[in-house]
Amino acid sequence: MPETTRRADRLTGNRYGNRPTMKDVAARAGVGLKTVSRVVNGEPGVTPDTERRVQEAIDALGFRRNDSARVLRKGRTASIGLILEDLADPFYGPLSRAVEEVARAHGALLINGSSAEDPEREQELALALCARRVDGLVVIPAGDDHRYLEPEIRAGVATVFVDRPAGRIDADVVLSDNYGGARDGVAHLIAHGHRRIGFIGDMPRIHTAAERLRGYRAAMEDAGISVAERWMSLGATDPERVRRAAEEMLAGPDPVTAVFAGNNRVTVTVVRVLAERARRAALVGFDDFELADLLQPGVTVVAQDSSALGRTAAERLFRQLDGTLVAPERIELPTRLITRGSGELPPTD
Amino acid sequence: MPETTRRADRLTGNRYGNRPTMKDVAARAGVGLKTVSRVVNGEPGVTPDTERRVQEAIDALGFRRNDSARVLRKGRTASIGLILEDLADPFYGPLSRAVEEVARAHGALLINGSSAEDPEREQELALALCARRVDGLVVIPAGDDHRYLEPEIRAGVATVFVDRPAGRIDADVVLSDNYGGARDGVAHLIAHGHRRIGFIGDMPRIHTAAERLRGYRAAMEDAGISVAERWMSLGATDPERVRRAAEEMLAGPDPVTAVFAGNNRVTVTVVRVLAERARRAALVGFDDFELADLLQPGVTVVAQDSSALGRTAAERLFRQLDGTLVAPERIELPTRLITRGSGELPPTD
């Protein structure tokens, strides 16, 4: 009943409080756990009077029998939710699997959903998972306002944001050093003689895209290179859009001699565009990807440790649930430049 | 309340029955939907007598207010579950996204979980999702006995199995033609002059691995080639195991001159092993994968349409929920041979 839900949330106002359990009901009704279980599960062997007392305790505490807990034979839901951005982006595979491995180590199930980069979808999904009684949420946010989660957090749902920060709430965040990584990657191209360097990235409203662009600008500024508008293209990462952007930069009177690709989706398309051309432009991509080393030339990348992102976020989530964390933190993981050939090509003019 | 749950299950015994809605309650109590909503949500403005009648209808029908439905402002859960095998296997990316697109088109959320190839985990997850009131489940099964789902199916949970068949229950199944695809791929190698052809596949208990091995044997038999035990290696698809298997087949007095890789995880490792060798063995892999065309030589594959698998399964799921399906079916989707060079290399001796 909603009535009791609202009461339950009031009762569990502490940051990492739990919802009332059968134990609480038994204590309040002054009966044994087995008796509560009989009433809750509609089993025989309880006097009408006892049943009434237990029911009153259930209503007063706002206890709700948790079906999944019954399935899992555990006191709590023993499940956490993960909200991804795109189910088909390989970057999220290792991240998801790392979250799942930590969840499993804690005896919890992982339930995923994808926002498909839609803030409304993210909220709908996050609240639906909370309504389904996950203990906590690991969120790769699509939106930039997460105040909608405050009631859930007050009700005891642990929350960690990963890959991108939370918006307008104070929460645990685990990120890669997007700015520093992009800056290093672009500086690497400059060190190999490039001055006209293009940047093709994701939509600017996305934190990682904005940070990587900032890193690109910083590296160019460090080298005293003034950036032409036409060298920068931010937008959707679908192959058509990225191909157009790359071909425009590589054409004209002074084409770029190198491209910095803002993420793995962009990189794979740029690799295709460059493979079709006689004069090979240099390429450094943000994110490592499978078989990057077997292409010719191998693709130089700024690698994020996506497993570490997932593992770190999930471990913080369970530390929240254990009550061993108090204040939210922002954790930034380093990136690593992996040179394989494409980023070491000299300028073609 | 569990009492009412059981009643609900009895009431919705038909194959694809739905749980009772507020509409049903309103009809039975002879009141308006708004009145039922007031009672269910504990809002004021309902006379004790009307409230009693609504409560009786709720108990009689076994109606349960669904929290997520409240979140989604919908009459039913409006969510379906997808149980994957491995969150990090790129084969499942397009499949998951296709299921999600169909779910979205039906105004439903998709919730995923991974069995990590563990039958117990699959059951735990499937039941946990059912306990969380998903309307239906799309399952890529890890196990071969799904009788544990029968009570859920009777209670109205729609169920479709994809990529691998259901075990010991009669259910909708959407598969690729694993046998025919492997047979075509191996016949292609034979047509290019190979006779000593190796097969490296996943664990034999996995349906797809067994079917693809059967296709390999059939193609060899069609060509009158007797298969040596040492040409076949089935087991885990981790790089170490696959590398050992490939190196053993490619060594010795009469090494295989071609390898048929049983899935994309196997293929990427075999590509690495072959890239290290001077005399290039031919390769055909089951499953297409990103950048297969940009490797040198390009990798010839037997492509499954993983989006179509997901889309077909999800569409059947919603047809079950619409009540427009009666008998479970087994649907087999064709595979497609894509020649790119690696499968057309002649024998190296």
Side-chain angles (χ1 to χ4, degrees):
Chain A
M1 300 290 292
E3 189 51 28
T4 55
T5 317
R6 282 200 303 280
R7 248 194 249 117
D9 293 348
R10 279 205 307 279
L11 286 173
T12 57
N14 60 313
R15 175 71 177 82
Y16 298 129
N18 299 338
R19 295 196 167 77
T21 66
M22 280 203 201
K23 263 217 188 69
D24 305 324
V25 173
R28 184 177 180 113
V31 301
L33 202 52
K34 182 63 202 155
T35 307
V36 176
S37 154
R38 284 209 185 88
V39 173
V40 169
N41 294 301
E43 293 160 6
V46 185
T47 66
D49 172 69
T50 308
E51 179 162 10
R52 210 199 60 260
R53 263 167 46 224
V54 172
Q55 196 53 57
E56 282 164 359
I58 287 172
D59 295 342
L61 291 171
F63 168 80
R64 280 206 280 179
R65 200 266 321 260
N66 190 311
D67 284 350
S68 60
R70 204 163 99 266
V71 169
L72 303 175
R73 289 175 201 73
K74 284 206 177 64
R76 69 187 323 177
T77 310
S79 70
I80 65 169
L82 168 64
I83 297 177
L84 296 167
E85 180 269 304
D86 179 353
L87 291 170
D89 182 340
F91 169 74
Y92 296 114
L95 190 158
S96 308
R97 189 148 67 175
V99 171
E100 182 180 49
E101 279 160 6
V102 174
R104 184 170 313 192
H106 286 78
L109 284 171
L110 175 66
I111 300 175
N112 302 301
S114 158
S115 67
E117 207 53 81
D118 173 351
E120 271 185 32
R121 196 82 183 169
E122 173 210 310
Q123 171 168 352
E124 195 176 43
L125 194 54
L127 293 178
L129 290 177
C130 291
R132 286 171 174 74
R133 290 285 177 269
V134 291
D135 295 328
L137 285 176
V138 174
V139 182
I140 294 164
D144 53 12
D145 183 351
H146 298 94
R147 287 173 298 177
Y148 70 84
L149 276 173
E150 283 172 340
E152 303 299 331
I153 291 169
R154 274 197 303 279
V157 175
T159 317
V160 177
F161 289 75
V162 64
D163 186 42
R164 308 165 181 180
R168 312 185 68 173
I169 65 169
D170 189 24
D172 274 318
V173 175
V174 182
L175 307 169
S176 285
D177 178 9
N178 295 290
Y179 167 78
R183 187 174 183 161
D184 295 348
V186 175
H188 181 74
L189 288 166
I190 294 168
H192 283 78
H194 297 275
R195 297 188 61 80
R196 296 198 308 277
I197 302 170
F199 177 93
I200 304 178
D202 208 333
M203 291 170 287
R205 68 171 178 76
I206 297 173
H207 169 82
T208 47
E211 282 296 290
R212 293 167 197 175
L213 177 63
R214 205 163 63 81
Y216 162 83
R217 286 181 173 285
M220 297 295 268
E221 196 181 333
D222 295 344
I225 302 168
S226 59
V227 176
E229 277 309 313
R230 56 181 291 273
W231 297 351
M232 295 175 293
S233 173
L234 277 75
T237 59
D238 59 280
E240 299 66 31
R241 206 283 300 180
V242 171
R243 170 173 287 275
R244 263 197 318 281
E247 284 170 347
E248 278 166 29
M249 291 178 188
L250 292 161
D254 2 277
V256 298
T257 62
V259 174
F260 185 83
N263 68 33
N264 78 79
R265 300 296 77 205
V266 173
T267 307
V268 294
T269 299
V270 173
V271 164
R272 290 185 181 287
V273 173
L274 298 183
E276 297 161 4
R277 309 173 75 88
R279 297 168 70 215
R280 202 70 184 252
L283 169 66
V284 173
F286 204 106
D287 295 331
D288 200 4
F289 58 96
E290 190 165 67
L291 303 173
D293 57 318
L294 289 188
L295 294 170
Q296 287 166 3
V299 179
T300 294
V301 299
V302 174
Q304 308 187 64
D305 189 340
S306 77
S307 296
L309 283 171
R311 193 170 51 250
T312 307
E315 280 163 357
R316 276 197 78 81
L317 194 78
F318 283 100
R319 285 184 57 203
Q320 284 182 22
L321 291 166
D322 297 345
T324 59
L325 281 187
V326 274
E329 263 179 59
R330 178 190 177 104
I331 297 171
E332 205 166 74
L333 302 181
T335 58
R336 191 165 52 95
L337 182 74
I338 304 174
T339 58
R340 295 183 176 130
S342 72
E344 295 70 53
L345 296 171
T348 49
D349 60 348
Chain B
M1 301 288 295
E3 188 50 29
T4 56
T5 318
R6 281 201 308 283
R7 249 194 246 112
D9 294 353
R10 279 203 308 276
L11 286 173
T12 57
N14 60 311
R15 174 71 177 78
Y16 299 131
N18 298 339
R19 294 197 167 77
T21 65
M22 280 203 199
K23 265 218 190 67
D24 304 324
V25 173
R28 185 177 182 114
V31 300
L33 202 53
K34 182 62 200 156
T35 308
V36 175
S37 154
R38 284 210 184 88
V39 173
V40 169
N41 295 301
E43 292 160 6
V46 185
T47 66
D49 172 69
T50 308
E51 178 162 9
R52 208 199 64 255
R53 263 169 44 228
V54 172
Q55 196 53 57
E56 281 165 0
I58 287 173
D59 295 342
L61 291 171
F63 168 81
R64 275 208 283 183
R65 200 275 314 270
N66 190 312
D67 281 355
S68 59
R70 200 162 103 270
V71 169
L72 303 175
R73 288 174 204 73
K74 286 207 176 64
R76 69 188 321 177
T77 310
S79 70
I80 65 169
L82 168 63
I83 298 177
L84 295 167
E85 180 268 305
D86 178 354
L87 291 171
D89 182 340
F91 170 72
Y92 296 113
L95 190 157
S96 307
R97 189 148 69 174
V99 171
E100 180 180 51
E101 279 160 7
V102 174
R104 185 169 314 190
H106 285 77
L109 283 171
L110 175 66
I111 300 175
N112 301 302
S114 158
S115 66
E117 206 54 83
D118 173 351
E120 272 185 31
R121 196 83 183 168
E122 172 209 311
Q123 171 168 352
E124 194 175 45
L125 193 54
L127 293 177
L129 290 177
C130 290
R132 286 173 176 72
R133 290 287 175 267
V134 291
D135 295 327
L137 285 177
V138 174
V139 182
I140 295 164
D144 53 12
D145 183 352
H146 299 95
R147 287 172 298 176
Y148 70 84
L149 277 174
E150 283 171 339
E152 304 298 332
I153 291 168
R154 273 197 303 278
V157 175
T159 316
V160 177
F161 289 75
V162 62
D163 185 44
R164 306 166 181 181
R168 313 184 67 171
I169 63 169
D170 189 24
D172 275 318
V173 175
V174 182
L175 306 169
S176 284
D177 178 8
N178 294 290
Y179 167 77
R183 188 173 182 160
D184 294 347
V186 175
H188 182 74
L189 288 166
I190 294 168
H192 283 78
H194 297 275
R195 296 189 61 80
R196 295 199 308 276
I197 302 169
F199 177 93
I200 304 178
D202 209 332
M203 292 170 287
R205 68 169 177 78
I206 297 174
H207 169 82
T208 48
E211 282 295 289
R212 294 168 195 175
L213 177 63
R214 203 162 65 81
Y216 162 83
R217 285 181 172 286
M220 297 295 268
E221 196 180 333
D222 294 343
I225 303 167
S226 60
V227 176
E229 277 309 313
R230 55 181 293 272
W231 297 350
M232 295 173 293
S233 173
L234 277 76
T237 58
D238 58 280
E240 299 66 30
R241 206 284 300 183
V242 171
R243 171 173 285 275
R244 262 198 319 280
E247 284 170 347
E248 278 167 27
M249 291 179 188
L250 292 161
D254 0 274
V256 298
T257 61
V259 174
F260 185 83
N263 67 33
N264 78 79
R265 299 296 77 205
V266 173
T267 307
V268 295
T269 298
V270 173
V271 164
R272 292 186 180 286
V273 173
L274 298 183
E276 298 160 4
R277 309 172 75 87
R279 296 169 69 215
R280 202 70 185 252
L283 169 66
V284 173
F286 204 105
D287 296 329
D288 200 4
F289 57 96
E290 190 165 64
L291 302 173
D293 56 320
L294 289 188
L295 295 170
Q296 287 168 2
V299 180
T300 293
V301 299
V302 174
Q304 308 187 65
D305 189 340
S306 77
S307 296
L309 283 171
R311 193 170 51 250
T312 307
E315 280 163 358
R316 275 197 79 80
L317 194 78
F318 283 100
R319 284 185 57 203
Q320 284 183 20
L321 291 166
D322 298 344
T324 59
L325 280 187
V326 274
E329 264 180 57
R330 178 191 178 102
I331 298 171
E332 204 166 75
L333 302 181
T335 59
R336 192 165 51 95
L337 182 72
I338 304 174
T339 58
R340 296 187 177 125
S342 73
E344 296 69 55
L345 296 172
T348 49
D349 58 348

